[in-house]
Amino acid sequence: MPLHPHSIWNPAAEIPSTTQVRPPSYSKNDDDNDKTASSSSQNTKKNDVNGAFPEQEAARMAALKRLRHTLVTQCAKQQQHSYSNKPPTLAMERWLSRESLQRELSKQEQGKDGSHTTRDPILPSGGIADNGLVKDLSRNIDYAEAQSIAETLASDSNTAAKRISKLNTKDSSNNMANRQTTTSEYTKEIKAELKACSKAVKKASKAVQKSLPKPNKDDDDNDDDADGESSSSDSSNKMIQKSLTGLHEATQQLDTCRQKIQRIQDYANSQKTIVLDNSRRSGICDVMLLQADGTFKKPYLTISTSHLIKFVQLWQFSAATTSKTTKAIGPKRIAQNPVTAIQEEMQDGNTFLRYLYCCLGRYEMIKGAGYQCAMPPVAFDALHSPKKLGLGTTIECFASPFNCRYKQYCSAFPDLETKFGSLGSFFDDASFFPWQGSFEANPPFVPELMSAMNDKLQRLLENPKAKALSFLVIVPVWGGGGTTATSSGGVMDHVGPLEASEYCVAKSRVLAADHSFCDGAQHKALKQELRPSSWDTAVILLQNKSGSLAWPVSQTKLDSVFCAALKSSKTRSSLGDWERRGVGRGGKQQQQQQQYKHKPNDDGCNSTIANSTRLFCFYFCLQECCSSSYSRQSNSSECSLEWRTCRTSSKAIF
């Protein structure tokens, strides 16, 4: 299957053998870290079969949905006298990102003192109100009220995390016994349903038989009764049609009952809990969790066929490096029908589907598609080609199986994504502390994450034992010139320290209107489109002395090659057009607005007056936002930009 022109995936590229993500020795704590990493690896292999728990992920999705609902309802109660009755844009996503960072940092501390505490991979489980969330909410409501909402969310999240941690703790044999016990509870119900469906089919069959015309014993035609026979024939046809319709509906119910019985048997007798179906929409596959009663648990997760093929390839690449006995499916067979290939020819197909469901669920939970954006393919090509920038196959420090360019990368959920080529978390020194190689860092645009990234990059580059290292950093330049408020109330500059670093060999900036990124939700869309950038982008190349000799890049070369390639990815659509795209392309606003625009009022008139009212309200809110932002920004044009990005950007944080 040929790659889409906007597809970021490049399965043919190989990571250079000289790239090393773990040094033989880099600090005095090496032995402890190696033991921790070895223990973690052994535990991973021991729990390999049961490493992905779809039931847990489904419960986690439901819990996070309740948390989002609580946040919205609590803010609506407190913001009655405000210009908005919704929480700040992406407040929940930033909270989850900060929790992810704290989880990794606490793991580092536990590795040093030998302690071990398991924390939920998504839900904040500390039970303490997050200062960043309080600061986010206090933009629209009183600080005390924001503190109260944050405490409620922290408590509810901690309770949900404890409840979810108790699921699927039994071994596989007990789990199988529990499956059979659980499905036996539905046996009586399904028998009664089957009996009712059978009776309905028999009744409908008799109705069809009665409606059919009886054979006429008299062969002589009677011309006087012609009109009467015509009317009776019409009524007879209607009765036949009605009875046939009833029979069709009854047989459909019986077939539905048959399918449910089959699914219950599959659930009870095997490890098949995830069903892959591509019949609903061409090019899109539904990944569904099968329940004991034969139904599927909502929400149904979706993935495009092209990304499903990518997941299979990543799975096989990873399996080939760990097991020589695994039989891989040929690329042509996968491209022809990936669903059939997974279900019928994949040796570990059920395990693959469990990991796939869990990965889809994780990224569905954290949402914030703008946080998962990646550089466009043309930019990666400019990095890789020796005739262009010449940085080679750069390993991404922040990626996922959905948006990764190469077979190896760092990601947020190594407990699942190591099966798809992940090297681990960028912040986990035990799994990722490179001493040689070329890397690309495009982190989620969360202030605390970018600050932690800067600190680790500094540690990596100043390591005296490191060999050639190169990091191309992609970060936003927000309205304040790259500065933003922190959760502690201070001001954080995530661009200035990088540009002023002694390891900075080249730097540049690209205007927001001149470039685009690969959308973070591309795996759910048929057509892979580029997402217009919300902010100006800072491009910073950091290299140690050996790195600058191995990959020499001048300021002029960075501008004329890489930045030019980034600018060539510019799309015709604006941010507003992107957010208003149709439902089939991932948006909802456009369809809703079109329905509202053409919907007549109660008096039969068009909604021109209503549209004018909305325009006035928008203008009023714009004035309010700019006036409130003017105290923080010295330039009124930046205030206008800030309002624009606040409404349309999924990466806007200020």
Side-chain angles (χ1 to χ4, degrees):
M1 176 177 289
L3 293 176
H4 189 276
H6 291 163
S7 175
I8 195 174
W9 174 230
N10 184 6
E14 296 290 343
I15 304 297
S17 58
T18 55
T19 300
Q20 301 292 333
V21 297
R22 280 284 295 152
S25 176
Y26 66 89
S27 71
K28 63 181 181 180
N29 296 323
D30 272 350
D31 294 337
D32 295 336
N33 290 338
D34 289 339
K35 291 178 181 179
T36 303
S38 176
S39 175
S40 175
S41 175
Q42 291 175 1
N43 291 335
T44 301
K45 292 180 180 179
K46 183 179 180 180
N47 300 325
D48 181 39
V49 177
N50 300 319
F53 299 108
E55 292 82 2
Q56 276 188 338
E57 299 302 330
R60 196 171 284 120
M61 280 189 280
L64 197 54
K65 184 178 180 180
R66 288 192 295 270
L67 287 176
R68 292 181 186 275
H69 178 72
T70 300
L71 176 61
V72 172
T73 54
Q74 291 294 324
C75 288
K77 291 179 182 178
Q78 302 295 339
Q79 294 175 338
Q80 294 178 358
H81 303 290
S82 176
Y83 65 84
S84 173
N85 63 346
K86 296 180 180 180
T89 306
L90 296 177
M92 175 68 77
E93 286 72 18
R94 288 192 290 275
W95 179 33
L96 296 178
S97 296
R98 287 189 293 268
E99 172 64 19
S100 175
L101 176 61
Q102 286 300 120
R103 190 182 304 114
E104 291 298 331
L105 296 180
S106 64
K107 189 186 300 183
Q108 297 289 328
E109 295 299 325
Q110 292 173 9
K112 293 179 180 179
D113 57 22
S115 60
H116 178 71
T117 302
T118 303
R119 300 180 66 172
D120 191 272
I122 291 288
L123 296 172
S125 52
I128 302 174
D130 179 63
N131 292 331
L133 181 60
V134 175
K135 184 172 180 59
D136 262 350
L137 299 179
S138 62
R139 282 191 270 161
N140 293 338
I141 61 179
D142 292 339
Y143 184 86
E145 296 170 346
Q147 180 74 26
S148 176
I149 294 175
E151 290 176 353
T152 301
L153 291 173
S155 176
D156 292 349
S157 178
N158 186 34
T159 302
K162 290 181 179 179
R163 175 177 55 82
I164 293 172
S165 65
K166 298 178 182 179
L167 298 176
N168 290 339
T169 54
K170 299 180 180 181
D171 59 18
S172 58
S173 60
N174 288 337
N175 193 20
M176 178 65 72
N178 290 336
R179 280 169 176 245
Q180 295 177 351
T181 303
T182 303
T183 52
S184 65
E185 299 175 1
Y186 297 99
T187 303
K188 295 181 179 179
E189 297 180 11
I190 200 65
K191 284 183 178 180
E193 187 177 347
L194 181 61
K195 188 176 181 180
C197 290
S198 301
K199 288 183 177 180
V201 171
K202 291 181 180 179
K203 185 177 179 180
S205 300
K206 290 181 179 180
V208 172
Q209 292 176 359
K210 290 181 179 180
S211 64
L212 293 175
K214 297 180 180 179
N216 194 357
K217 297 180 181 180
D218 225 346
D219 294 337
D220 297 332
D221 295 332
N222 191 348
D223 295 337
D224 295 335
D225 297 337
D227 295 338
E229 289 179 359
S230 177
S231 61
S232 63
S233 177
D234 292 339
S235 61
S236 177
N237 289 335
K238 291 181 180 179
M239 290 182 61
I240 293 174
Q241 188 64 35
K242 183 178 179 181
S243 59
L244 288 175
T245 302
L247 180 61
H248 178 68
E249 293 176 352
T251 53
Q252 277 189 331
Q253 292 177 358
L254 184 63
D255 187 63
T256 301
C257 185
R258 178 194 63 80
Q259 293 177 3
K260 185 181 290 187
I261 293 174
Q262 184 63 49
R263 290 196 295 264
I264 290 176
Q265 292 301 313
D266 290 343
Y267 183 90
N269 299 328
S270 69
Q271 293 290 332
K272 184 178 179 181
T273 57
I274 305 301
V275 176
L276 194 64
D277 181 36
N278 61 347
S279 62
R280 182 177 63 88
R281 186 181 172 194
S282 177
I284 298 293
C285 297
D286 294 320
V287 186
M288 302 172 289
L289 174 62
L290 181 63
Q291 300 183 107
D293 61 351
T295 60
F296 298 112
K297 189 173 183 61
K298 293 183 178 180
Y300 304 154
L301 303 176
T302 59
I303 185 172
S304 66
T305 303
S306 59
H307 276 79
L308 178 62
I309 295 173
K310 176 183 179 180
F311 262 76
V312 174
Q313 292 175 334
L314 285 171
W315 178 273
Q316 294 186 155
F317 289 147
S318 179
T321 59
T322 57
S323 175
K324 296 182 179 180
T325 59
T326 303
K327 183 180 179 181
I329 306 174
K332 291 184 179 180
R333 177 61 180 135
I334 298 175
Q336 288 175 355
N337 194 335
V339 176
T340 304
I342 293 170
Q343 294 175 343
E344 298 180 0
E345 300 181 25
M346 210 169 180
Q347 293 180 351
D348 48 359
N350 291 335
T351 305
F352 167 80
L353 289 177
R354 290 204 307 272
Y355 276 90
L356 173 65
Y357 180 90
C358 291
C359 279
L360 286 169
R362 293 277 177 94
Y363 286 93
E364 182 68 23
M365 281 184 273
I366 62 176
K367 295 187 181 297
Y371 287 166
Q372 309 305 323
C373 286
M375 288 195 311
V378 64
F380 275 107
D381 292 338
L383 287 181
H384 181 272
S385 175
K387 297 180 180 179
K388 296 182 179 180
L389 208 60
L391 292 179
T393 305
T394 53
I395 293 179
E396 295 169 90
C397 298
F398 300 91
S400 72
F402 301 101
N403 66 5
C404 65
R405 172 69 169 179
Y406 304 117
K407 303 172 187 177
Q408 290 182 309
Y409 53 91
C410 293
S411 64
F413 306 112
D415 59 318
L416 297 175
E417 293 165 335
T418 50
K419 291 290 186 178
F420 302 103
S422 173
L423 298 170
S425 171
F426 170 81
F427 298 106
D428 186 4
D429 289 353
S431 59
F432 186 77
F433 200 94
W435 64 289
Q436 184 175 4
S438 180
F439 304 87
E440 180 263 342
N442 181 19
F445 294 173
V446 178
E448 289 79 3
L449 277 175
M450 290 187 288
S451 176
M453 177 198 70
N454 293 356
D455 293 341
K456 180 160 185 177
L457 290 178
Q458 183 69 21
R459 288 193 294 119
L460 293 173
L461 291 167
E462 67 185 9
N463 178 18
K465 297 183 179 180
K467 296 185 178 180
L469 281 175
S470 175
F471 292 91
L472 185 75
V473 183
I474 310 293
V475 288
V477 182
W478 287 325
T483 62
T484 186
T486 64
S487 59
S488 60
V491 176
M492 180 185 300
D493 183 3
H494 59 275
V495 177
L498 291 174
E499 293 182 331
S501 172
E502 60 180 305
Y503 301 104
C504 178
V505 297
K507 58 184 178 181
S508 184
R509 296 192 179 186
V510 183
L511 295 178
D514 292 343
H515 68 294
S516 305
F517 289 95
C518 287
D519 184 36
Q522 58 181 293
H523 63 280
K524 296 190 290 185
L526 278 174
K527 185 178 180 181
Q528 299 182 20
E529 297 180 297
L530 296 179
R531 180 192 192 99
S533 179
S534 307
W535 298 92
D536 295 353
T537 295
V539 181
I540 306 166
L541 182 61
L542 304 176
Q543 295 177 334
N544 58 9
K545 186 175 181 180
S546 299
S548 61
L549 296 176
W551 303 284
V553 177
S554 63
Q555 178 69 48
T556 304
K557 194 174 183 180
L558 182 67
D559 287 329
S560 61
V561 177
F562 178 77
C563 293
L566 199 58
K567 291 177 182 179
S568 67
S569 67
K570 177 183 176 181
T571 61
R572 295 180 180 180
S573 61
S574 63
L575 275 172
D577 295 335
W578 174 266
E579 294 295 340
R580 291 190 298 269
R581 66 199 190 279
V583 176
R585 295 167 61 192
K588 297 181 179 179
Q589 296 296 325
Q590 185 178 20
Q591 186 180 35
Q592 293 174 355
Q593 290 179 359
Q594 291 296 329
Q595 291 176 352
Y596 183 81
K597 180 178 180 181
H598 298 290
K599 182 179 179 181
N601 295 328
D602 295 335
D603 56 357
C605 300
N606 206 353
S607 56
T608 305
I609 298 178
N611 289 334
S612 301
T613 304
R614 291 195 302 162
L615 182 60
F616 172 78
C617 293
F618 173 78
Y619 177 77
F620 175 76
C621 292
L622 176 63
Q623 294 291 91
E624 286 290 319
C625 181
C626 286
S627 61
S628 62
S629 300
Y630 189 77
S631 60
R632 289 174 291 152
Q633 302 289 348
S634 59
N635 192 340
S636 59
S637 63
E638 291 181 352
C639 298
S640 177
L641 173 64
E642 201 167 41
W643 166 252
R644 175 177 66 84
T645 50
C646 176
R647 284 185 57 82
T648 58
S649 169
S650 66
K651 282 194 175 182
I653 306 169
F654 60 93

